[in-house]
Amino acid sequence: MLKVLIPTVMLFPTIWLTSPKWLWTTSTANSLLIALTSLTWFKWTSETGWTSSNTYLATDPLSTPLLVLTCWLLPLMILASQNHMTPEPINRQRSYIMLLTSLQTFLIMAFGATEIIMFYIMFEATLIPTLIIITRWGNQTERLNAGTYFLFYTLAGSLPLLVALLLLQHSTGTLSMLVLQYTQPLQLNSWGHMIWWASCLIAFLVKMPLYGVHLWLPKAHVEAPVAGSMVLAAVLLKLGGYGMMRMMVMLDPLSKELAYPFIILALWGIIMTGSICLRQTDLKSLIAYSSVSHMGLVAGGILIQTPWGFSGAIILMIAHGLVSSALFCLANTTYERTRSRTMMLARGLQVIFPLTTVWWFIANLANLALPPLPNLMGELMIITTLFNWSPWTILLTGLGTLITAGYSLYMFLMSQRGPVPNHITGLQPYHTREHLLMTLHLLPVILLVAKPELMWGWCY
């Protein structure tokens, strides 16, 4: 664990001591080395599943894929931000990279924590850098409004969780994940216990986000700079899913009855947010709502509490993290050239940028879950386990899949096909940096087809 955490912390002095000329090169190279080092976590040696470096930090097959995704994303965020950050003063550039690095540090400590209270503290700590990135480097004036939504939705959901954790500590005497999985399930039968059950999960459902408490997400995505959107879609939403998976182990007797309304809301959210996507004109907003739709499926898979549901959820989280991050990068490259996120004003780009259209095509096909990509694998596992729970869910999940295919193709056709508008002239060509960025996003998705057990090995 420390072999990745210490180099990440060492990036802070490196960022401030590097000469301005080499700032981006050094930070990208260092973060890429950290990302490559994190791949060694896939080599599991422990029989119990937990590989610990000390009492408070450990990895197990559930947290490892998310930890590697977190480390993989930092060099990609730095690569993506290079163009729009270069005109800024050098100290602002350093601050920006430092915020991204601090976000990675908090995320590594959140996913690697063995104590639930440490996970909670790191879960909350990720708010601070994300909020600064959105409100300081966002594009429009609404960024302060978006920051307020983001902060208050997350905090309002998280406070009941803190109280629930303190109660859990009081009743069991420990908050260590290593011990809690072997303790006797709590005897939950009263109304107070039901409220405790809800407060354990609501913070994570807001973070995922579940349909109904999702309004902060499109705002935050649309206003955030590219790195903010990438980390929000790829990793921060997954904190919610990861936290739910960890907490569901202890909530067993009550979950069977109390999970019903949340599962129904998640499945209804797939249809609703998918339908909203079909009406969007703003490219980033469309991708943001598509994230809510996918996360609804993940929430359903986790709440059912079967091994298939859990593995489908983790596979879909990893695949969605890479694909939605890639889509936000592509939306940003289009925005940097045309200065517009409205799809009607930036269409017909296939004629001008044929190679970029290939990236758009692959990313969209991955988003609509084309076989044999891991997106389809995760979706099918969750749809199957939901069907096993109640055959009626196939109506909602099946319709949701069709709508997903519809808006993904709509996004591709609107942005890439059709006549080139007359106002689009003198666009800057795409750089090797941007093609490298897309390769590093989509190559892991394609390679995971060959070795999917990296994501779901924990089930066996």
Side-chain angles (χ1 to χ4, degrees):
M1 192 74 191
L2 295 176
K3 68 192 170 194
V4 170
L5 194 55
I6 291 169
T8 307
V9 173
M10 289 307 295
L11 261 175
F12 293 114
T14 311
I15 290 162
W16 286 98
L17 297 173
T18 312
S19 71
K21 184 184 172 187
W22 293 100
L23 174 63
W24 292 91
T25 317
T26 312
S27 47
T28 310
N30 276 15
S31 53
L32 198 55
L33 280 171
I34 293 167
L36 293 171
T37 311
S38 73
L39 295 174
T40 57
W41 278 326
F42 282 131
K43 192 168 176 292
W44 292 313
T45 49
S46 154
E47 283 297 315
T48 57
W50 288 92
T51 311
S52 62
S53 54
N54 57 43
T55 357
Y56 301 108
L57 290 171
T59 58
D60 78 326
L62 171 57
S63 61
T64 302
L66 292 161
L67 276 163
V68 175
L69 179 66
T70 305
C71 295
W72 189 250
L73 216 76
L74 181 61
L76 302 187
M77 288 192 291
I78 295 172
L79 272 175
S81 307
Q82 210 165 320
N83 190 42
H84 74 89
M85 285 302 293
T86 319
E88 300 238 347
I90 191 68
N91 279 351
R92 276 194 211 159
Q93 293 182 33
R94 292 188 203 276
S95 306
Y96 186 81
I97 300 172
M98 197 183 77
L99 284 168
L100 296 181
T101 313
S102 65
L103 200 49
Q104 172 163 318
T105 312
F106 293 145
L107 284 164
I108 290 172
M109 289 165 81
F111 287 128
T114 56
E115 292 282 336
I116 300 183
I117 203 76
M118 181 175 161
F119 168 71
Y120 176 83
I121 292 164
M122 292 304 153
F123 176 81
E124 292 302 312
T126 55
L127 274 177
I128 302 162
T130 320
L131 190 69
I132 297 170
I133 288 168
I134 292 172
T135 52
R136 172 62 193 81
W137 280 280
N139 293 321
Q140 276 81 27
T141 46
E142 286 88 35
R143 61 180 188 253
L144 295 173
N145 188 13
T148 312
Y149 263 70
F150 172 59
L151 186 68
F152 281 94
Y153 263 85
T154 316
L155 281 180
S158 302
L159 284 173
L161 175 63
L162 180 61
V163 179
L165 290 179
L166 295 174
L167 280 168
L168 181 64
Q169 163 76 35
H170 182 69
S171 57
T172 59
T174 179
L175 279 179
S176 170
M177 293 178 195
L178 305 167
V179 181
L180 275 173
Q181 57 190 356
Y182 300 114
T183 53
Q184 281 295 312
L186 304 167
Q187 295 305 310
L188 306 171
N189 40 31
S190 70
W191 271 102
H193 286 135
M194 289 181 185
I195 295 166
W196 177 81
W197 182 92
S199 54
C200 276
L201 288 187
I202 280 169
F204 302 125
L205 290 169
V206 170
K207 195 75 172 177
M208 280 190 78
L210 183 72
Y211 179 72
V213 282
H214 69 287
L215 286 177
W216 63 271
L217 185 82
K219 281 180 179 291
H221 268 312
V222 168
E223 301 307 323
V226 60
S229 290
M230 284 167 70
V231 75
L232 203 54
V235 193
L236 292 179
L237 302 189
K238 313 304 177 271
L239 268 174
Y242 173 77
M244 276 175 73
M245 284 183 174
R246 290 292 190 208
M247 293 301 283
M248 286 306 269
V249 179
M250 297 168 294
L251 309 176
D252 204 24
L254 273 178
S255 298
K256 288 181 175 55
E257 292 83 29
L258 293 181
Y260 274 87
F262 293 106
I263 295 171
I264 291 160
L265 199 56
L267 295 177
W268 182 239
I270 298 171
I271 308 283
M272 291 305 291
T273 48
S275 310
I276 291 168
C277 282
L278 290 170
R279 300 271 305 170
Q280 287 301 316
T281 53
D282 184 311
L283 196 50
K284 273 183 102 170
S285 187
L286 196 156
I287 304 165
Y289 274 109
S290 112
S291 289
V292 183
S293 172
H294 283 95
M295 286 292 120
L297 207 52
V298 170
I302 295 170
L303 286 164
I304 279 180
Q305 280 186 288
T306 61
W308 267 58
F310 265 43
S311 25
I314 189 100
I315 291 168
L316 187 53
M317 283 201 292
I318 300 297
H320 171 263
L322 289 161
V323 171
S324 65
S325 179
L327 284 167
F328 276 116
C329 284
L330 284 165
N332 179 66
T333 56
T334 307
Y335 175 73
E336 282 179 356
R337 282 161 179 78
T338 60
R339 290 287 155 207
S340 169
R341 290 194 316 266
T342 309
M343 286 186 280
M344 281 298 288
L345 297 177
R347 63 185 196 275
L349 294 177
Q350 182 181 358
V351 186
I352 313 168
F353 303 125
L355 182 54
T356 310
T357 303
V358 174
W359 294 129
W360 269 106
F361 190 57
I362 297 169
N364 273 299
L365 289 180
N367 197 44
L368 63 81
L370 179 87
L373 295 171
N375 302 63
L376 178 84
M377 193 167 141
E379 282 190 23
L380 275 185
M381 289 179 92
I382 295 171
I383 290 169
T384 312
T385 201
L386 281 164
F387 182 76
N388 187 39
W389 175 71
S390 161
W392 290 104
T393 56
I394 198 74
L395 295 173
L396 291 168
T397 50
L399 185 58
T401 310
L402 286 174
I403 294 172
T404 305
Y407 69 68
S408 294
L409 291 171
Y410 160 70
M411 175 163 65
F412 178 73
L413 294 174
M414 283 294 284
S415 61
Q416 303 303 308
R417 306 289 294 176
V420 183
N422 295 329
H423 66 272
I424 291 189
T425 52
L427 295 188
Q428 199 181 1
Y430 271 71
H431 308 294
T432 313
R433 171 180 62 81
E434 286 158 334
H435 290 305
L436 173 69
L437 182 61
M438 295 321 302
T439 309
L440 291 175
H441 268 115
L442 297 173
L443 198 62
V445 180
I446 295 162
L447 289 178
L448 280 171
V449 174
K451 202 167 171 59
E453 64 269 23
L454 290 178
M455 296 180 288
W456 67 352
W458 71 283
C459 274
Y460 299 104

